[in-house]
Amino acid sequence: MRYDVVIIGGAIVGSSIAYYLREEGFSGSIALVERDPQFAHAATTLSCASIRQQFSIPENIRLSQFTLKLFRRLTAEFGADADIGFREGGYLILAGENGLPILKANHEAQIAEGADIVLEDADALVRRFPWLSAEGITAGAYGRSGEGWFDAHAMLMLFRKALRETNIDFVTADVTGIERQGDRVTSVNLDNGERLEAGIVVNAAGPNAGKVSAMAGLVLPVEPRKRNVFIFEAREKYADMPLLVDPSGIYVRPEGSVYITGGAEPQEGDGPADPGDFEPDWPLFEEVIWPVLATRIPAFEAIKPTRAWAGHYDYNTLDQNAVIGPHPQVRNFLFANGFSGHGLQQAPAVGKALAELIVHGGYRTVDCAAFGYSRVAEGRAFRELNVI
Ligand SMILES: Cc1cc2nc3c(=O)[nH]c(=O)nc-3n(C[C@H](O)[C@H](O)[C@H](O)COP(=O)(O)OP(=O)(O)OC[C@H]3O[C@@H](n4cnc5c(N)ncnc54)[C@H](O)[C@@H]3O)c2cc1C
């Protein structure tokens, strides 16, 4: 079997690339290879499904803004019944005295990109959100619009459903090897013994992207990092509550009638996860998260944890930013990896960008050149400071 494009990984990034290839008029053959067709372990479906403008670098803000525009014209793009439950509840990123210079610098970058973010001091924040305790807080940046959360599974299904109406081969298999002849990848080997010859291979393997790159003999500093998400009930319902990020890194937001929280993984000992470990670390909630929540939102002293899950970040150990585009020598091997916790909201933009690159030979809508692989080869970090 021979395909013009073989995409490894069929979750949000892989599906988005396939979708935009067809949108850009690509008429060649496409195989979308996925080993876990229910997406039980994909980062996409285990994510917190939130979108923000509050990044430190303009390039990341622009990727999210592309997706935001898509969310606002979802029915025009995917049909009248398209709905991902987008709730524009905003982010509120809090800082103490130490974090203030970074918060301010980030805010300036966001404003320059046209994001609707206000920077307020602690008093103003408590007036705006009376349930908040400003203990240890100097200021916060609040997204009045353009930020919020949605249903990740519904978003994935929109792309997958749209793909079913195009001529794409959905292949259910595990990619176990990639063959290379000199500066070209030539084929992809599957666990069922089949071999797909490929004109272009796209790595959209999420947390497994480092291993998939290694199959082609290419180094990619992306590894799975375990992240826990906890659900709890509280008597008080704060309809105006944004996704709040405490200076400790712990975040919390409403999810329907309950709340969702996480972000307490200690930096020390945070290394590559066992790819099969999806067991939530409950002590993290009891010992680390709950005390912070109760300090920041006093009404959360009395809460009832109900459920938890763990997923894996597609963590780029170099700079916690995406790697997008071709390998400089092996130019028919393309990366769409290393999103480090913000890939869901970037996937539509990245799909569009890579489709433009393949079809037109360059980026047209969102310039992803800064995310190119050359920085990995040179060990030059292109760092995002707002990694949640
Ligand atoms: C707890 C958590 C919270 C998050 N919160 C957010 C958030 O709020 N906002 C946000 O934007 N992002 C968030 N993210 C990050 C986001 O989920 C990811 O960056 C994004 O989903 C990456 O999409 P992907 O398609 O590249 O990877 P995945 O969704 O992991 O998909 C990769 C796919 O490739 C398949 N695959 C891998 N290897 C092979 C192989 N060898 N052969 C065949 N198939 C293969 C896998 O089965 C998988 O389905 C979060 C992630 C986690 C874990």
Side-chain angles (χ1 to χ4, degrees):
M1 270 176 288
R2 191 193 178 282
Y3 290 93
D4 294 307
V5 177
V6 174
I7 303 172
I8 304 172
I12 196 63
V13 170
S15 293
S16 168
I17 295 166
Y19 174 81
Y20 282 108
L21 273 172
R22 289 296 184 232
E23 287 290 294
E24 290 300 314
F26 183 74
S27 58
S29 52
I30 303 175
L32 190 54
V33 188
E34 173 54 56
R35 63 183 179 185
D36 170 23
Q38 303 298 320
F39 301 104
H41 292 129
T44 297
T45 44
L46 296 173
S47 88
C48 291
S50 307
I51 179 167
R52 60 188 159 111
Q53 312 277 308
Q54 296 195 52
F55 288 97
S56 65
I57 56 170
E59 288 81 357
N60 276 332
I61 302 170
R62 288 174 204 150
L63 291 180
S64 284
Q65 285 177 340
F66 176 91
T67 301
L68 179 66
K69 277 192 207 137
L70 176 71
F71 283 5
R72 290 187 168 152
R73 48 180 296 280
L74 213 57
T75 50
E77 182 87 19
F78 292 105
D81 59 349
D83 183 14
I84 56 164
F86 181 38
R87 240 201 107 220
E88 225 163 312
Y91 271 61
L92 172 61
I93 300 189
L94 299 172
E97 205 53 50
N98 289 345
L100 190 60
I102 290 181
L103 190 76
K104 276 187 173 163
N106 292 352
H107 180 245
E108 274 165 30
Q110 293 147 15
I111 295 297
E113 292 301 314
D116 184 17
I117 315 290
V118 284
L119 188 66
E120 294 186 333
D121 65 18
D123 290 346
L125 289 174
V126 173
R127 275 197 301 280
R128 189 188 281 278
F129 301 115
W131 39 261
L132 181 76
S133 159
E135 192 184 319
I137 298 301
T138 309
Y142 170 53
R144 287 181 298 199
S145 66
E147 300 188 313
W149 47 92
F150 52 93
D151 181 337
H153 188 259
M155 179 183 173
L156 176 60
M157 287 307 124
L158 275 188
F159 278 94
R160 302 275 301 179
K161 193 167 156 243
L163 284 179
R164 292 199 185 280
E165 284 156 28
T166 68
N167 184 18
I168 282 178
D169 278 2
F170 293 88
V171 179
T172 301
D174 195 356
V175 171
T176 51
I178 298 175
E179 286 172 29
R180 212 177 109 185
Q181 285 173 8
D183 284 351
R184 288 192 70 73
V185 280
T186 51
S187 62
V188 161
N189 299 327
L190 308 180
D191 61 341
N192 58 14
E194 283 178 10
R195 182 165 159 269
L196 310 181
E197 283 181 32
I200 292 173
V201 173
V202 183
N203 183 352
N208 196 36
K211 284 204 176 140
V212 165
S213 296
M215 290 177 197
L218 304 173
V219 174
L220 180 70
V222 172
E223 62 186 33
R225 292 265 177 115
K226 191 173 161 185
R227 293 295 179 266
N228 297 269
V229 183
F230 302 92
I231 306 282
F232 66 88
E233 293 173 358
R235 209 174 30 238
E236 288 72 17
K237 312 284 176 231
Y238 300 121
D240 63 341
M241 187 174 171
L243 190 156
L244 180 152
V245 187
D246 185 77
S248 61
I250 290 169
Y251 64 83
V252 59
R253 71 160 171 83
E255 172 73 30
S257 61
V258 295
Y259 295 89
I260 195 169
T261 185
E265 285 77 12
Q267 277 186 348
E268 207 175 301
D270 185 28
D274 169 352
D277 177 10
F278 292 91
E279 200 56 45
D281 292 335
W282 273 107
L284 215 54
F285 179 83
E286 308 283 344
E287 293 160 18
V288 186
I289 296 183
W290 195 347
V292 171
L293 292 181
T295 305
R296 191 55 59 221
I297 303 168
F300 285 173
E301 258 171 43
I303 57 179
K304 186 173 147 212
T306 54
R307 203 164 70 77
W309 72 84
H312 295 155
Y313 269 15
D314 39 359
Y315 195 89
N316 176 352
T317 59
L318 174 67
D319 55 15
Q320 293 80 63
N321 243 334
V323 180
I324 301 169
H327 187 276
Q329 276 82 47
V330 186
R331 295 200 63 80
N332 68 336
F333 188 89
L334 269 55
F335 301 94
N337 309 117
F339 299 98
S340 308
H342 39 269
L344 188 62
Q345 64 197 284
Q346 297 190 330
V350 172
K352 174 87 170 163
L354 282 185
E356 288 176 349
L357 190 72
I358 291 170
V359 175
H360 309 297
Y363 300 124
R364 292 184 167 182
T365 310
V366 189
D367 187 354
C368 286
F371 295 105
Y373 183 90
S374 54
R375 76 180 197 281
V376 174
E378 294 158 13
R380 176 173 43 84
F382 177 52
R383 206 170 288 287
E384 170 56 50
L385 299 179
N386 248 354
V387 176
I388 297 172

